[in-house]
Amino acid sequence: MKISGAEILIKCLKKEGVKHIFGYPGGVVLNIFDILYDEKGLELFLTRHEQGAVHAADGYARASGKVGVAIVTSGPGATNTVTGIATASMDSIPLVVFSGQVPTMLIGNDAFQEADIVGITRPCTKHNYLVKDINDLARTVREAFHIASTGRPGPVLIDLPKDVTSGMAEFIWPEEVKIRSYNPTYHGNKWMIRQAAQMITKAKKPVIMAGGGVILSEASKELKELAELTKIPVTTTLMGLGAFPGTNKLSLGMLGMHGTYYANKAVQDADLLIGIGVRFDDRVTGKTSAFAPEAKIMQIDIDPTSIRKNVSVDLPVVGDVRNVLRDIIKGLKEQKGQWGAVRSSWLKQINAWTKERPLTYSFDDKVIKPEFVVEKIFEISKGDAIICTEVGQNQMWAAQFYKYDKPRRWLSSGGLGTMGYGFPAAIGAQIACPDKLVIDIAGDGSIQMNIQELATAVINKLPVKVAILNNGFLGMVRQWQELFFRERYSHTNLDVIPDFVKVAEAYGAVGLRAEKPEDVVPVLKEALKIKDRPVFMDFKVDWREKVFPMVPAGAAIDEMIFDEEKKKPEKKLKAVK
Amino acid sequence: MRHTISVLVENKFGVLSRVSGLFSGRGFNIESLSVGETIDPAISLMTVVTIGDDQIVEQITKQLNKLIDVIKVVDFVEFEHVEREMILVKVSPKKNDKAEFLRLAEIFRGRIVDSGPTTFTVETTGDEKKIAAFIELIKPFGIKEFVRTGTIAIAREGIKKIK
Ligand SMILES: Cc1ncc(C[n+]2csc(CCOP(=O)(O)OP(=O)(O)O)c2C)c(N)n1
């Protein structure tokens, strides 16, 4: 029996096990939306902006580990997804985004609402497709889900001309996907794995640096086993928060530009750095020529392009992180090493660094310190919330002062640094995990980038909490201006900031405000009681507060500046970039 | 260092822009690029000549391999191979120089493929060095224009690995 392309598409989504999609309608996708009108097994969440739809799908994917799905119309609908797709691409998040397209006959004619979205998204997708023949539709969808979710995951876009979705064809579901040119390496080379086990045993001052790849490959258990077995301290990248328990004794917290003193010190002093599911981003390495100068570098990653891209690597192991770690652990267990004894002086040294400069801030009883808010969120949520963030100081404080013990509890735009990501991502996460507490830690600038999604959260009764660290500024940029541009606050004072309590109320959400330190806990407690609506919490925080430690751009990661140096002469604060 | 890389790709819509976009997007150089079908019409072969240090070329080949439509990448630096490029040159030698020009073209196994009252179009093939030498030598005769195909390459029989 022949059915329409739109029906084929929906059948494919169900075959892929999709339950929730995010989207926004328009002319050329009307026939798809028409099928969704009666569809029971598949729920579409209407966001209020296509960027919001893609971020929501992304948050859904990060929180659940499933592929996030979005459907939008052609032209402006499609171009509005670009930031969301690029965000997912940089962080290797599996998404399948469907965009409507003008009929094949009209493609290239500058037809109404035509945009070459396949061309536009080519560099920010893992792969993309223009379906020109309805008979290719089912296979294309199957391939797209396969590509998005396997190997190093990433977003895939499928452009659907209107005549393809309105045409008629038999629905033939390809049970198997075979793409001859796509064969990720899942198992590490045996010789390399033996070498890896030997290097680990020989090392006196090893450090593990774990990244988002550990979370993507669901390898947290193995990572913990490796670290505890061989007594190796673990630092995580921003993307790796939660890959290793933040409260574990071996945890050094985050490294890099705003990493902890002891994580950066340990990396700089290490004789072996084991990068697991990381790509040595410049925010992590600082000046690459001075990065981990004493260390041999081992790198485990499924994507060969991540290896030797930014730093030279002594032992690369290409493979799925979980498989490789299992194999290495097996090899190590056979060796029966006395790691505890070997590492004791190294761990003592690290302990000394931890004591020397712990992660702190100065509490104030008159004005709310943003770090204090994050700390209280951690306490009140017992460390068990899904934390989303926007970008800027809010993101860094959320990374520093909340301890992530489990994977998929930290949803943040690491690679692209997209302001406006957190709130829609929180909506997606809440839909994926209805019973979890989901909190977006936001800045007053970022939250205004997708504030319209309040409507999405209200209408779906999603109890997402947004903690706005309201400093009246584009805080992180202001921080750089203070430190590196002689306090010339060019266009970072937000001047007119809406009354967030009223904004929330106008949408039918709850708005709460804290102006003094003693308001913080009551406001949080009040917010947590609300289960049927989103809540905006407006925390009026100290605008002068800066994120420390900080490694100035272009410096080595142990050339950190600290709070007390803020008034010191500028020579230490030279900005290169 | 100069590398000749051959890229076996699915003969699909947009695949050329995926490859060329990768080069431009990541700041890699393309010295020349040529594309054609293979024995299997579903597969095309691209030959890219690029310049870069080892680390860059390693990235280039890895990134190419990562493209979904790319089936195989061969960096000919590692293999004994034959390289050829074809050039068509339109030259307008002065009356007195004609004989000399034709003799020179012959030395380079150039074939006259078209001629007009004042011009000759010569075709020749060779590796990069030969083509460069040919251009240098006929420059004095007055080159009006030339067109090059870009390099193509094929492994020598037995495919001996150099390193
Ligand atoms: C879409 C986007 N535009 C611009 C930037 C550059 N940027 C990085 S942080 C920042 C300031 C963010 O301000 P706010 O959301 O108020 O957070 P705060 O730093 O004050 O916590 C800006 C403008 C960005 N990351 N994303």
Side-chain angles (χ1 to χ4, degrees):
Chain A
M1 193 188 68
K2 288 194 171 177
I3 55 174
S4 74
E7 284 172 285
I8 291 177
L9 174 66
I10 301 303
K11 279 191 188 300
C12 290
L13 293 179
K14 291 171 91 174
K15 284 272 189 194
E16 288 292 348
V18 176
K19 298 251 160 26
H20 304 116
I21 47 188
F22 301 87
Y24 209 94
V28 297
V29 288
L30 271 170
N31 43 2
I32 303 173
F33 276 73
D34 189 56
I35 307 289
L36 287 167
Y37 193 65
D38 312 305
E39 187 52 60
K40 293 275 148 29
L42 204 57
E43 198 175 353
L44 182 129
F45 293 88
L46 174 73
T47 54
R48 295 304 186 266
H49 191 298
E50 288 87 353
Q51 184 189 352
V54 181
H55 288 327
D58 172 316
Y60 183 93
R62 291 190 208 218
S64 67
K66 296 185 193 138
V67 176
V69 181
I71 299 188
V72 301
T73 192
S74 66
T79 55
N80 270 348
T81 65
V82 173
T83 303
I85 293 172
T87 301
S89 177
M90 288 290 263
D91 291 347
S92 309
I93 304 305
L95 296 185
V96 176
V97 176
F98 296 93
S99 52
Q101 183 53 282
V102 302
T104 37
M105 281 266 300
L106 291 181
I107 290 178
N109 283 6
D110 299 326
F112 177 63
Q113 294 196 325
E114 180 185 356
D116 174 13
I117 197 64
V118 170
I120 291 170
T121 59
R122 202 170 281 132
C124 62
T125 48
K126 183 168 172 186
H127 195 55
N128 61 15
Y129 295 91
L130 168 65
V131 181
K132 284 180 160 172
D133 181 342
I134 187 169
N135 295 305
D136 294 336
L137 180 56
R139 186 186 46 77
T140 306
V141 176
R142 187 94 175 87
E143 282 186 13
F145 276 82
H146 177 68
I147 290 171
S149 59
T150 55
R152 176 176 176 178
V156 178
L157 176 130
I158 303 183
D159 204 18
L160 298 167
K162 183 164 187 191
D163 51 325
V164 170
T165 50
S166 60
M168 303 291 281
E170 297 281 341
F171 172 57
I172 302 166
W173 180 245
E175 284 302 334
E176 260 190 279
V177 223
K178 267 220 180 92
I179 309 170
R180 63 176 155 187
S181 51
Y182 176 70
N183 302 296
T185 307
Y186 290 106
H187 288 277
N189 175 295
K190 291 230 163 57
W191 187 85
M192 297 288 196
I193 286 180
R194 251 196 322 261
Q195 291 292 109
Q198 280 172 16
M199 273 171 98
I200 289 171
T201 299
K202 271 194 208 135
K204 296 212 166 57
K205 299 189 287 179
V207 173
I208 291 174
M209 169 179 163
V214 176
I215 295 167
L216 292 165
S217 86
E218 309 279 356
S220 297
K221 202 177 119 246
E222 287 74 9
L223 173 61
K224 187 155 173 272
E225 189 180 352
L226 173 69
E228 291 185 334
L229 175 71
T230 54
K231 303 282 180 286
I232 302 183
V234 181
T235 175
T236 67
T237 64
L238 185 79
M239 292 306 297
L241 290 173
F244 186 77
T247 54
N248 188 294
K249 269 196 190 132
L250 289 165
S251 170
L252 301 175
M254 182 171 78
L255 84 163
M257 182 174 271
H258 292 295
T260 62
Y261 172 72
Y262 33 100
N264 286 0
K265 274 296 226 189
V267 167
Q268 292 302 82
D269 204 47
D271 64 351
L272 173 65
L273 182 63
I274 308 167
I276 310 179
V278 295
R279 59 188 175 88
F280 295 96
D281 177 85
D282 53 276
R283 284 292 187 267
V284 159
T285 60
K287 185 176 170 189
T288 44
S289 59
F291 177 70
E294 310 293 325
K296 284 218 175 334
I297 296 184
M298 179 196 305
Q299 189 180 357
I300 306 169
D301 205 286
I302 197 160
D303 178 4
T305 67
S306 294
I307 292 170
R308 262 201 283 271
K309 184 166 63 181
N310 302 330
V311 299
S312 71
V313 172
D314 301 283
L315 185 76
V317 189
V318 176
D320 177 64
V321 163
R322 186 166 60 169
N323 292 336
V324 172
L325 289 186
R326 280 182 183 171
D327 289 347
I328 292 178
I329 290 168
K330 216 167 125 219
L332 284 166
K333 279 187 174 160
E334 282 160 16
Q335 294 182 8
K336 298 203 178 65
Q338 297 298 314
W339 291 289
V342 180
R343 307 269 191 261
S344 72
S345 67
W346 175 231
L347 293 177
K348 236 181 246 158
Q349 168 68 74
I350 285 173
N351 208 5
W353 283 325
T354 312
K355 293 231 168 73
E356 186 185 343
R357 285 199 185 266
L359 201 57
T360 52
Y361 67 96
S362 14
F363 176 79
D364 193 305
D365 55 8
K366 299 212 177 51
V367 48
I368 303 175
K369 293 287 181 170
E371 300 94 328
F372 174 69
V373 178
V374 177
E375 229 173 48
K376 289 296 151 195
I377 292 175
F378 175 65
E379 283 170 26
I380 289 178
S381 68
K382 302 189 180 68
D384 198 32
I386 295 177
I387 301 291
C388 303
T389 76
E390 302 295 337
V391 168
Q393 295 178 314
N394 58 83
Q395 181 183 31
M396 293 304 133
W397 288 318
Q400 293 176 329
F401 291 93
Y402 197 103
K403 303 281 170 261
Y404 301 87
D405 274 345
K406 292 183 192 152
R408 305 200 179 278
R409 297 293 165 83
W410 162 256
L411 279 48
S412 188
S413 169
L416 200 65
T418 308
M419 290 171 69
Y421 167 79
F423 184 37
I427 289 174
Q430 188 76 78
I431 289 165
C433 309
D435 302 326
K436 281 254 136 52
L437 172 61
V438 180
I439 304 175
D440 175 35
I441 295 180
D444 45 321
S446 298
I447 192 61
Q448 293 186 67
M449 285 217 176
N450 274 317
I451 202 161
Q452 76 287 346
E453 299 308 333
L454 260 169
T456 313
V458 168
I459 206 112
N460 292 295
K461 301 193 168 53
L462 301 172
V464 169
K465 319 282 184 270
V466 181
I468 303 168
L469 306 178
N470 186 347
N471 54 16
F473 276 90
L474 298 172
M476 185 57 96
V477 183
R478 190 205 62 77
Q479 170 167 345
W480 283 58
Q481 289 171 330
E482 179 181 332
L483 295 174
F484 311 123
F485 289 87
R486 296 198 204 99
E487 300 181 40
R488 288 156 54 83
Y489 298 137
S490 176
H491 304 281
T492 44
N493 186 337
L494 290 174
D495 286 328
V496 178
I497 291 175
D499 180 330
F500 289 118
V501 171
K502 282 192 186 151
V503 172
E505 286 168 358
Y507 273 100
V510 176
L512 303 170
R513 178 167 293 126
E515 286 175 303
K516 295 200 197 65
E518 61 267 28
D519 300 340
V520 170
V521 171
V523 160
L524 284 170
K525 287 197 168 148
E526 179 66 26
L528 258 59
K529 280 190 211 142
I530 295 155
K531 307 278 187 209
D532 61 345
R533 264 170 297 175
V535 186
F536 265 25
M537 293 169 275
D538 184 13
F539 295 100
K540 299 278 191 205
V541 300
D542 184 359
W543 69 269
R544 287 178 197 82
E545 197 65 13
K546 292 187 287 297
V547 181
F548 289 114
M550 177 179 191
V551 178
I557 59 168
D558 50 357
E559 292 169 19
M560 285 166 275
I561 53 177
F562 298 92
D563 204 2
E564 68 271 16
E565 287 171 30
K566 64 188 167 195
K567 291 274 176 276
K568 282 198 178 166
E570 266 175 297
K571 64 177 193 329
K572 257 210 147 164
L573 314 182
K574 228 181 342 169
V576 175
K577 221 179 348 185
Chain B
M1 194 174 154
R2 179 178 177 277
H3 289 248
T4 306
I5 298 171
S6 91
V7 191
L8 211 58
V9 297
E10 297 287 352
N11 188 1
K12 278 188 191 160
F13 173 81
V15 65
L16 176 61
S17 35
R18 286 187 206 282
V19 171
S20 61
L22 187 149
F23 276 80
S24 59
R26 294 192 178 265
F28 303 143
N29 289 314
I30 298 185
E31 293 289 304
S32 79
L33 170 71
S34 70
V35 196
E37 250 182 29
T38 62
I39 286 185
D40 178 352
I43 296 177
S44 298
L45 186 82
M46 296 187 185
T47 310
V48 189
V49 176
T50 185
I51 290 177
D53 61 26
D54 286 354
Q55 195 209 349
I56 288 177
V57 175
E58 180 182 328
Q59 262 300 312
I60 291 176
T61 53
K62 284 177 174 177
Q63 293 285 357
L64 284 167
N65 263 311
K66 191 167 152 183
L67 292 177
I68 305 287
D69 287 336
V70 169
I71 302 166
K72 195 176 168 200
V73 180
V74 176
D75 180 354
F76 278 113
V77 146
E78 296 173 17
F79 298 105
E80 297 281 0
H81 67 284
V82 182
E83 269 184 27
R84 286 293 176 271
E85 176 172 12
M86 186 174 111
I87 185 171
L88 292 171
V89 199
K90 201 176 271 176
V91 189
S92 48
K94 296 205 186 74
K95 261 206 177 117
N96 303 346
D97 292 343
K98 264 188 197 165
E100 172 68 8
F101 168 73
L102 290 172
R103 201 177 60 80
L104 201 70
E106 208 180 311
I107 294 173
F108 278 84
R109 298 204 197 156
R111 269 195 327 135
I112 308 297
V113 291
D114 184 39
S115 60
T118 58
T119 65
F120 293 102
T121 300
V122 198
E123 164 202 309
T124 192
T125 61
D127 60 14
E128 198 202 16
K129 277 191 199 126
K130 179 179 160 187
I131 301 287
F134 181 61
I135 293 170
E136 270 319 298
L137 282 171
I138 61 170
K139 240 182 209 162
F141 295 98
I143 297 178
K144 288 187 76 178
E145 64 174 298
F146 65 68
V147 196
R148 307 170 65 158
T149 56
T151 299
I152 53 172
I154 198 163
R156 285 193 190 276
E157 203 31 51
I159 317 190
K160 268 188 288 167
K161 255 208 168 193
I162 290 173
K163 281 188 216 161

